[in-house]
Amino acid sequence: LPGIPPGPLKNNGTKLVYDWLHPFLPPGPLDIRGPCPGLNTLANHGHLPRNGIATPAQIINAVMEGFNMEVGTARFVTYAAFVVDGNPITDLLSIGRKSILTGVLPEPAIVGGLNTHGVFEGDASTTRLDAYFGDNFSLNDDLWNQYIEYSNRLGDGYYNLTVAQELRHRRNTQSIAENPEFDFTSPRYFTAFAESTFPYVFFIDGRVPIGPGGLGVGRGLHVSNATSFFKDNRFPKDFWRPPTPSVPTGIVQVFTAHPIPPGRNQGAVNTYTPDPTSGSFTNFCALYYNFLNITLNRLYPNPTGILRRNLAINLRYLYENLPSLPGQTDTCTELFPYGQP
Ligand code: HEM
Ligand code: MG
């Protein structure tokens, strides 16, 4: 059976997470790392298995323990990634490339790990190239320089809400102008805005006072600590996790600074065309419906036996942890493409 989703932290305040039990060790030649600087860092400190292969429960525990991610957010993101990138039979996920270590493939699913393009990982990442240009998981030097330039110019050396707003807009504009296959529909549409908040939500030391609104204003992420996380996938020396269980605060503000509808380029640059069927900030449940009816259906059109049962169980865990957006009044209807769990 799939593991049970962990509950919230018992002691949920700030604390030293770069402690003697969690030394930094760079990944060995066979250890897997991927597009997420948060998970890469947790693996480099042994908060996650150092080989980069983990169960959903291990990931949820690690992001709560290491970064004080709020339990519902941790579960939602983890199960969303797991059902498309992980192995539902063995309950294992690679945080990077496809690996034999996650077990035998339930075809036609990919079980390709977090690097897999287009099911969870997607375009216009802050520091990673679009898959169209090749490597969609390593830190890209030009994009990293752009991150630093924006932090210096707009945040006085710090990444905060203002920098997040402008850099998100810049990355969207870049992909529209450069990637003929740019796809900015859900789920990527949401993860892009969420990820723009992560550096000022999760990478700032928990002993630094929270700024007005908790939006990283006056509490930005200094370039030196950002370098530690993004370049070395390493906690800064003596790092304490955030002071309270944390969610992607400011996601709507990042969106509203430069609103863009979900959509895609049509095989040529500068042909961005909205897709009104995609999940969006005004049609949130379509994120969940399309994820199951389109993305997941492509991977698992007709599962049977244990595979089908485990998919149904994991989808229940996903549904139970669906977030709601500020101002959202409707609740999404639970779907059962693989039967009741
Ligand atoms: C990006 C997975 C938690 C920080 C990503 C991406 C994936 C991912 C697949 C690549 C998406 C893309 O850019 O195309 C996950 C999963 C998590 C998780 C499954 C489980 C809860 C976290 C946490 C943090 C974090 C706790 C911060 C401590 C980031 C950042 C990016 C990112 C900053 C953007 C990287 C960039 O493009 O520059 N994550 N993540 N993630 N993640 Fe995570
Ligand atoms: Mg990406």
Side-chain angles (χ1 to χ4, degrees):
L1 282 172
I4 310 260
L9 291 175
K10 293 205 170 63
N11 298 311
N12 65 10
T14 186
K15 72 170 195 183
L16 179 71
V17 287
Y18 190 173
D19 60 6
W20 61 277
L21 278 173
H22 299 94
F24 172 81
L25 290 173
L30 299 180
D31 294 336
I32 294 174
R33 299 294 178 263
C36 177
L39 299 182
N40 291 347
T41 298
L42 292 167
N44 285 344
H45 286 274
H47 284 282
L48 278 174
R50 292 184 185 267
N51 67 359
I53 309 287
T55 67
Q58 285 175 320
I59 294 173
I60 294 162
N61 279 324
V63 298
M64 291 194 301
E65 177 66 21
F67 286 113
N68 215 345
M69 187 180 258
E70 182 272 330
V71 63
T73 309
R75 289 171 172 180
F76 178 67
V77 177
T78 300
Y79 284 107
F82 181 74
V83 293
V84 292
D85 286 333
N87 190 328
I89 306 279
T90 57
D91 211 29
L92 291 171
L93 170 72
S94 160
I95 67 169
R97 63 177 161 77
K98 189 170 184 163
S99 166
I100 189 83
L101 297 177
T102 57
V104 174
L105 293 188
E107 305 218 283
I110 313 169
V111 191
L114 293 183
N115 288 1
T116 311
H117 176 64
V119 290
F120 189 92
E121 186 284 327
D123 291 334
S125 301
T126 308
T127 67
R128 271 67 173 168
L129 293 175
D130 288 4
Y132 176 82
F133 300 111
D135 181 343
N136 65 338
F137 50 88
S138 307
L139 183 78
N140 175 269
D141 285 334
D142 294 334
L143 294 177
W144 177 241
N145 288 337
Q146 180 169 261
Y147 173 101
I148 293 177
E149 190 230 311
Y150 271 64
S151 298
N152 284 336
R153 183 161 50 82
L154 302 171
D156 236 350
Y158 292 82
Y159 182 95
N160 57 22
L161 176 63
T162 304
V163 179
Q165 290 168 324
E166 298 312 311
L167 188 52
R168 170 57 28 219
H169 179 57
R170 166 72 179 150
R171 292 295 297 125
N172 295 347
T173 312
Q174 271 181 309
S175 284
I176 289 173
E178 294 169 10
N179 177 1
E181 294 173 10
F182 177 45
D183 189 325
F184 205 52
T185 55
S186 73
R188 178 57 189 156
Y189 185 71
F190 287 97
T191 60
F193 292 104
E195 279 162 25
S196 292
T197 74
F198 281 13
Y200 68 69
V201 170
F202 295 111
F203 290 160
I204 299 176
D205 192 283
R207 294 165 296 180
V208 178
I210 302 177
L215 297 177
V217 184
R219 186 182 179 262
L221 172 64
H222 194 263
V223 163
S224 63
N225 278 11
T227 303
S228 180
F229 282 111
F230 278 96
K231 274 224 115 135
D232 303 333
N233 297 133
R234 176 176 188 159
F235 286 131
K237 189 175 171 331
D238 195 31
F239 184 75
W240 291 46
R241 73 184 182 198
T244 51
S246 301
V247 299
T249 306
I251 179 170
V252 176
Q253 286 89 331
V254 175
F255 167 72
T256 48
H258 299 281
I260 173 177
R264 54 179 75 75
N265 273 346
Q266 308 295 307
V269 298
N270 295 315
T271 55
Y272 192 75
T273 309
D275 176 358
T277 69
S278 167
S280 69
F281 285 91
T282 48
N283 187 13
F284 180 73
C285 292
L287 163 68
Y288 169 69
Y289 301 144
N290 292 343
F291 193 62
L292 269 57
N293 291 333
I294 302 171
T295 313
L296 201 58
N297 182 265
R298 236 176 249 145
L299 299 173
Y300 296 104
N302 224 336
T304 56
I306 292 173
L307 176 61
R308 180 181 163 94
R309 180 200 66 185
N310 289 1
L311 283 166
I313 292 172
N314 284 309
L315 288 186
R316 164 59 59 79
Y317 296 151
L318 181 71
Y319 177 78
E320 284 174 345
N321 293 287
L322 271 184
S324 53
L325 294 172
Q328 185 194 340
T329 49
D330 55 327
T331 45
C332 313
T333 309
E334 186 169 8
L335 305 182
F336 301 101
Y338 308 122
Q340 297 266 349

